[in-house]
Amino acid sequence: ASPDPLITQVQPWAQELGDGVDATPYGLPIEYENDVIRRNVEWLTADTVSSINFTPIHALDGTITPQGCAFERHHSGAIDLKKQDYRLMINGLVDTPLVFSYADLERFPRENHVYFCECAANTGMEWAGAQLNGAQFTHGMIHNMEYTGVPLRTLLEEAGLDTAGDLKDKWVFVEGADASSNGRSIPMEKALDDVLVAFKANGEALRKEHGYPVRLVVPGWEGNMWVKWIRRIEVTEAPVESREETSKYTDVLENGIARKWTWAMDAKSVVTSPSPQAPITHGKGPLVITGLAWSGRGAITRVDVSKDGGKTWETARLAKPGEKMAMTRFYLDTDWDGEEMMLQSRAMDDTGYVQPTKAQLREVRGLNSIYHNNCIQTWLVRSTGEAENVEVS
Amino acid sequence: EKFGLGRAALPEEIAAWDGDVSPNGDGLPSGSGDAIVGEEIFAEQCAVCHGDFAEGIDNWPKLAGGADTLDHEDPLKTVGSYWPHLSTAFDYIKRSMPYGNAGTLSDDEVYAIVAYILYSNDLIEDDFVLSDETFADVELPNAQGFILDNRAETEYAIWSGEPCMENCKDEVKVTMRAMVLDVTPEENKPATAEVTQASAAKVEETEEAPVEAAAPAIDAELAKAGEKVFKKCKACHQVGAKAKNRSGPVLNGIVGGASGAVDGFKYSKALKAAAEGGLVWTPEELAAFLAKPKKYLKGTKMGFAGLKKEKDQAAVIEYLKTFAE
């Protein structure tokens, strides 16, 4: 073999000087990574203002999603709202209706938690058949971040809940400051349990597209409830049954009857690499198969991987023990013989739930659901290393 | 434990923000309207997206039709066929519509629009006056069409326990491939236009305005950047050969053209007055308008916050220059 000139010859970067500090006061990824970006599927929606794009999960590793490539979903566009102009009102069945400024929120004791946020429609385009070629498009309506914020319970107690009486059957209605307002009703039990009023993600301020300066975090529950630019929290006797909780985010079954209040996101997983946008380029031999798993009802306890479309399964290695309502990274360190594979992953959570197949889901729900598709995904990996989204018997 | 943070919300403040309306009618303001009045308001405020008959344009939501389709393939879920509560329509229209100009409708206008949507769904006669008094008289057809989440019984109970690890199937065959109807966006290639019926979330592609041959003296690179900026405008404005007035007028020939000149578009009083005053949309005037529309022209219907960056203004103007008459 001839010697590698990258080693034997002095390279410019080893000879000359690089950028000084402050070349990019707020850094961006190096240009060679400029394909690791959110992408939109134009035909899905009428315009980009009321639309969604997708996290490049095929190109990420670990579990934390960088804010800059975490998927966006807006109903009336991402608004420009300054901290100084931000107000949060708590009203309804409370002892004293209150208004908080952003500075007020920063004076309450705060907490840090890592949670995934998954749009209920994630994988929704795949109900009737394999359609989109890429984990980004089939599973990218999700991100996983470390949030800093104040428990909603703290704010509700500050306003006082004696007026509400028995809290068991009470609700809170939450709405955003944007033109859509995106109102949702949340049962009081959840509101007092783990909901956060968050203002930081991954250590820094929320991005505009994720609700700067303040958003709601509703762990494990569908992303639509994570109201961005949250401006009002009302304690109510009953759910408002807003557009987002009746005409949308309800699940039509085969007989035409629809399920409502299907808030929790069930356990789900996907192999992120290899996958259609992340083919195998190195030929046979050592291969890292990796992916993500999560459950809105608890912690991931196990992920199995199949290379033969579900005939046989091997248990993958979890990078870290699963955490509640947060993403878990799994790896299957394997040796590829260069033969075709039908790659699948199957997640289990600490309730004992096992991620179902597409056939199992269709048997219960029919083909007309849009939301809550947590089926086992199959990638057909050819001997060339290229991968395709398929369904198998 | 109380922290003593925040301040009491004033009644006027609560009144300004607390507008939600519940299925039992809680929150309904006093007021009224019928479908005849509603049709006019709908034509002006809603039809650009939802169609004159609430039938929906392009990918925008259809508000009427779809009766008895819920148990069919690709059910059509409209206010008439799917929504369980009429309060939801009032609540949503009052707070979130019209798209791009939310919260500007009076209570009577909202009653009239809701009445028109009911009428479009054949649920009321055109002389029925919808008001806070009569609201409870209307029951939507699918009011009983919902059940509470029953996954605990129908799914969780079945899909749990120790899963199969070996010999789980006799054989495995590929039964469907994304390649067949690949609708995946590709870099450097426009989104696929043909979407077949396989998608549950299937929708038709919005018509793209073709970029016409550029007139001389166009900075092509700047115009290209402007095409991106124009995405912010596309919800309301169309350009190109097939352009139609939407909630904003067609913008062909706008740069250097007289203001208020597009046939068939109902301009605001403010813009009509400016047009009578001889306003011409020179690049300078357009840039000033685009920077802060509401400040530049008090009373404009354009519900757009503005393009703060001068380079965005310049780019979008350059792009618009490529669409002569």
Side-chain angles (χ1 to χ4, degrees), chain A residues 43 97 99 128 133 158 175 180-181 232 234 241 250 258-260 266 309 354 365 368 388-389 391 393, chain B residues 3-4 7 9 20 72 82 88 95-96 147 150 155-156 159 165 169 173 175-179 184 198 203:
Chain A
W43 55 262
V99 173
N133 247 333
E158 185 71 13
E175 69 180 17
S180 79
S181 88
R232 196 170 68 89
E234 180 183 359
E241 307 253 14
T250 47
R259 284 179 184 160
K260 68 174 183 177
D266 290 324
V354 183
R365 304 202 204 150
N368 283 335
E388 188 195 338
N389 177 9
E391 282 187 16
S393 56
Chain B
F3 296 87
R7 61 163 176 87
D20 53 89
H72 294 37
Y82 190 61
T88 305
R95 281 191 293 134
S96 311
I147 54 169
N150 62 356
E155 298 179 7
Y156 300 161
W159 301 335
M165 297 298 282
K169 302 175 185 179
K173 274 195 200 150
T175 53
M176 192 177 280
R177 316 178 49 175
M179 290 290 272
T184 313
V203 276

Side-chain angles (χ1 to χ4, degrees), chain B residues 14-71:
Chain B
I14 295 171
W17 276 4
D18 186 350
D20 53 89
V21 179
S22 292
N24 65 3
D26 274 3
L28 272 178
S30 56
S32 64
D34 63 29
I36 299 167
V37 175
E39 184 174 15
E40 280 177 40
I41 305 165
F42 196 89
E44 184 146 326
Q45 302 276 4
C46 321
V48 288
C49 296
H50 298 295
D52 281 333
F53 306 101
E55 78 280 17
I57 289 179
D58 298 335
N59 277 355
W60 300 103
K62 297 167 174 61
L63 307 180
D68 304 320
T69 65
L70 297 181
D71 58 353

Side-chain angles (χ1 to χ4, degrees), chain A residues 39-50 75-76 80 87 89 91 96-100 104 107-109 124-125 127-133 137 154 157-160 173 175 179-181 183 231-232 234 239-243 246-247 250-264 266 297 302 304 308-315 342 346 348 352-354 356 360-361 364-365 367-370 372 380 382 388-393, chain B residues 1-10 13-14 16-23 57-61 69-75 77 82-85 87-88 91-92 95-97 99-100 102 142 144-151 154-156 158-185 187 191-193 195-206 208 231-232 234-235 308:
Chain A
R39 288 185 179 87
N40 176 18
V41 175
E42 278 192 36
W43 55 262
L44 259 184
T45 52
D47 75 350
T48 55
V49 170
S50 179
H75 292 79
S76 286
D80 203 327
R87 302 288 184 274
M89 182 186 288
N91 74 313
T96 314
L98 292 175
V99 173
F100 299 113
D104 291 333
R107 298 173 66 191
F108 287 101
M125 288 95 80
W127 266 112
Q131 172 154 296
L132 286 155
N133 247 333
F137 302 110
T154 305
E157 286 174 351
E158 185 71 13
F173 179 70
E175 69 180 17
S180 79
S181 88
R231 79 166 191 187
R232 196 170 68 89
E234 180 183 359
V240 170
E241 307 253 14
S242 72
R243 173 185 183 263
T246 55
S247 79
T250 47
D251 314 310
V252 181
L253 303 172
E254 200 151 29
N255 60 4
I257 297 290
R259 284 179 184 160
K260 68 174 183 177
W261 303 355
T262 49
W263 302 304
D266 290 324
R297 297 199 299 130
R302 183 173 126 190
D304 299 326
D308 56 14
K311 252 195 253 183
T312 54
W313 295 85
E314 300 169 69
T315 298
M342 286 182 267
R346 179 177 69 191
M348 293 174 68
Y353 178 89
V354 183
Q360 285 176 312
L361 274 176
V364 177
R365 304 202 204 150
L367 290 174
N368 283 335
S369 282
I370 294 171
H372 296 283
L380 175 67
R382 293 195 202 83
E388 188 195 338
N389 177 9
V390 298
E391 282 187 16
V392 293
S393 56
Chain B
E1 188 191 358
K2 302 259 188 194
F3 296 87
L5 294 170
R7 61 163 176 87
L10 302 177
E13 293 172 331
I14 295 171
W17 276 4
D18 186 350
D20 53 89
V21 179
S22 292
I57 289 179
D58 298 335
N59 277 355
W60 300 103
T69 65
L70 297 181
D71 58 353
H72 294 37
E73 194 179 324
D74 290 335
K77 298 188 278 183
Y82 190 61
W83 293 32
H85 307 294
S87 60
T88 305
D91 176 79
Y92 182 69
R95 281 191 293 134
S96 311
M97 289 287 118
Y99 188 65
N142 199 40
Q144 306 305 321
F146 290 79
I147 54 169
L148 293 187
D149 185 359
N150 62 356
R151 285 178 291 179
T154 55
E155 298 179 7
Y156 300 161
I158 311 167
W159 301 335
S160 48
E162 183 58 34
C164 175
M165 297 298 282
E166 298 274 344
N167 301 315
C168 305
K169 302 175 185 179
D170 291 336
E171 62 161 1
V172 181
K173 274 195 200 150
V174 171
T175 53
M176 192 177 280
R177 316 178 49 175
M179 290 290 272
V180 175
L181 52 111
D182 196 350
V183 286
T184 313
E187 273 113 289
T192 314
V195 179
T196 66
Q197 57 274 30
S199 164
K202 176 198 67 164
V203 276
E204 292 174 276
E205 197 189 18
T206 313
E208 287 283 333
K231 285 181 180 173
K232 291 178 196 271
K234 274 162 89 172
K308 283 187 197 135

Side-chain angles (χ1 to χ4, degrees), chain A residues 315-333:
Chain A
T315 298
R317 170 171 66 88
L318 302 185
K320 281 200 297 186
E323 290 173 29
K324 283 195 179 306
M325 289 90 148
M327 274 189 174
T328 300
R329 169 68 58 180
F330 65 87
Y331 296 104
L332 187 72
D333 307 301

Side-chain angles (χ1 to χ4, degrees), chain A residues 140-260:
Chain A
M141 294 180 189
I142 190 161
H143 53 62
N144 188 66
M145 305 203 217
E146 184 195 45
Y147 292 96
T148 302
V150 178
L152 177 54
R153 169 190 277 274
T154 305
L155 300 181
L156 289 170
E157 286 174 351
E158 185 71 13
L161 289 170
D162 292 343
T163 305
D166 185 0
L167 295 176
K168 216 176 121 232
D169 54 354
K170 297 299 184 295
W171 294 70
V172 298
F173 179 70
V174 290
E175 69 180 17
D178 64 316
S180 79
S181 88
N182 193 43
R184 287 292 304 246
S185 308
I186 300 174
M188 182 61 85
E189 188 185 0
K190 178 73 173 176
L192 294 177
D193 180 17
D194 56 6
V195 176
L196 273 187
V197 174
F199 36 83
K200 294 279 166 76
N202 300 344
E204 60 180 354
L206 291 169
R207 294 286 166 88
K208 174 183 179 179
E209 62 269 34
H210 300 131
Y212 179 92
V214 182
R215 83 171 307 166
L216 204 63
V217 168
V218 189
W221 287 19
E222 58 193 22
N224 181 256
M225 306 177 87
W226 296 44
V227 171
K228 298 191 288 189
W229 313 288
I230 184 161
R231 79 166 191 187
R232 196 170 68 89
I233 297 161
E234 180 183 359
V235 178
T236 59
E237 291 282 359
V240 170
E241 307 253 14
S242 72
R243 173 185 183 263
E244 303 298 320
E245 53 203 15
T246 55
S247 79
K248 306 287 171 187
Y249 305 99
T250 47
D251 314 310
V252 181
L253 303 172
E254 200 151 29
N255 60 4
I257 297 290
R259 284 179 184 160
K260 68 174 183 177

